[in-house]
Amino acid sequence: MDPSDDEVAEWRRVVNYAKRHGMEPEGRRIEKVPYGGLGLEFFLAEGPHPNARSQRPTASGSVPVPARLAHLHPVVAVLKDDDQQLLMPSSLRRRSLLLLQGLAAEAVRRGHEVRAVHSKFHRREGGVDIVVDGFAYTVTVRQEFPESSIPERSARLVVEIAHGLTRRSGRWRDRKNRSLEQALGVVLAEIEERAVEDEKHRANDERKRREREIRWRAAVEEAREHSRSASSSPRCCARRPDDGVRLP
């Protein structure tokens, strides 16, 4: 059952109070993402917020964004022709496609793969999967305030990396001091950092699997050795008291 508007508003007040009064754990921050219909999911993310001053992209990490929808990556081209995705004003749709094309082109230049998104998402969104070292990360673009009647708010976009099982933040918004075009370098850097973490997790899981296999094989060999020892031990045969005795 979806929470009521009053319940959602109360949770927002609690979280905002905690942030204002410095009640977040050191080195972490409270993040929230939509959950279900009207619900919200809260979790603790590591590190500073991506919109914080320390997380702003530098010129060296910038990603070129094309000015025209030409020579598109095949995945972006399919998305462009799909009129059931990225349902938003035409100017915002064009800008969203340019952002995705910039990400796709830079990802390919860095040796990564770009695939179509197979999971379903909202029709107002559009996205691509960027694959780094075998790990796929879905990046979507959507209008931040589609219902707003204020031109400045309704023109804002959001770029988001599906958080999956990670607690890392993965959402960037248009802001007065920085546009999404300037944040694409940070977006790709976040994907690459996640791939490094996921590779560590995969290597750790593989090490644990090998250790379990070694222990299992050792247990099997020990059981076999015990069985061989038991079968080769001399057996003592007791004679019944009346064996060989002839009654008169």
Side-chain angles (χ1 to χ4, degrees), residues 27-115:
R28 298 197 172 204
R29 66 186 184 281
I30 302 173
E31 283 286 335
K32 57 182 180 293
V33 295
Y35 180 83
L38 302 176
L40 290 173
E41 177 186 353
F42 296 93
F43 61 91
L44 287 176
E46 297 181 358
H49 194 279
N51 287 335
R53 183 180 301 273
S54 62
Q55 297 297 296
R56 292 175 189 170
T58 61
S60 60
S62 62
V63 171
V65 177
R68 298 172 55 249
L69 290 174
H71 309 293
L72 298 177
H73 187 282
V75 174
V76 181
V78 170
L79 186 61
K80 173 179 177 291
D81 295 336
D82 186 354
D83 57 7
Q84 297 302 308
Q85 296 296 326
L86 285 172
L87 297 182
M88 59 181 68
S90 59
S91 60
L92 291 182
R93 190 175 197 274
R94 180 178 183 276
R95 184 182 170 215
S96 298
L97 290 167
L98 291 173
L99 286 169
L100 290 173
Q101 173 58 27
L103 278 172
E106 179 63 16
V108 171
R109 189 189 71 80
R110 298 186 186 189
H112 309 320
E113 183 183 359
V114 178
R115 300 177 187 167

Side-chain angles (χ1 to χ4, degrees), residues 1-195:
M1 179 180 297
D2 289 332
S4 65
D5 291 341
D6 290 340
E7 290 174 319
V8 173
E10 179 62 24
W11 275 109
R12 288 182 184 275
R13 282 194 293 269
V14 171
V15 170
N16 290 336
Y17 180 89
K19 289 183 175 183
R20 284 197 308 271
H21 292 81
M23 300 172 68
E24 296 168 294
E26 184 177 356
R28 298 197 172 204
R29 66 186 184 281
I30 302 173
E31 283 286 335
K32 57 182 180 293
V33 295
Y35 180 83
L38 302 176
L40 290 173
E41 177 186 353
F42 296 93
F43 61 91
L44 287 176
E46 297 181 358
H49 194 279
N51 287 335
R53 183 180 301 273
S54 62
Q55 297 297 296
R56 292 175 189 170
T58 61
S60 60
S62 62
V63 171
V65 177
R68 298 172 55 249
L69 290 174
H71 309 293
L72 298 177
H73 187 282
V75 174
V76 181
V78 170
L79 186 61
K80 173 179 177 291
D81 295 336
D82 186 354
D83 57 7
Q84 297 302 308
Q85 296 296 326
L86 285 172
L87 297 182
M88 59 181 68
S90 59
S91 60
L92 291 182
R93 190 175 197 274
R94 180 178 183 276
R95 184 182 170 215
S96 298
L97 290 167
L98 291 173
L99 286 169
L100 290 173
Q101 173 58 27
L103 278 172
E106 179 63 16
V108 171
R109 189 189 71 80
R110 298 186 186 189
H112 309 320
E113 183 183 359
V114 178
R115 300 177 187 167
V117 178
H118 294 295
S119 57
K120 294 182 179 180
F121 42 75
H122 199 280
R123 294 172 65 188
R124 286 176 175 170
E125 297 176 334
V128 298
D129 275 357
I130 296 180
V131 185
V132 180
D133 295 334
F135 299 102
Y137 304 93
T138 299
V139 183
T140 57
V141 182
R142 60 179 172 83
Q143 190 177 4
E144 185 172 12
F145 302 109
E147 306 298 336
S148 178
S149 60
I150 303 174
E152 182 182 353
R153 285 173 61 84
S154 63
R156 294 178 185 173
L157 295 176
V158 176
V159 170
E160 187 169 7
I161 306 173
H163 64 82
L165 299 178
T166 185
R167 292 305 187 186
R168 298 175 65 97
S169 179
R171 189 182 297 112
W172 295 264
R173 301 176 174 88
D174 277 320
R175 289 295 178 259
K176 291 182 180 180
N177 55 359
R178 189 217 59 199
S179 68
L180 282 175
E181 283 80 358
Q182 296 172 304
L184 294 187
V186 177
V187 175
L188 272 178
E190 172 64 23
I191 291 174
E192 291 168 339
E193 288 178 12
R194 289 191 186 192

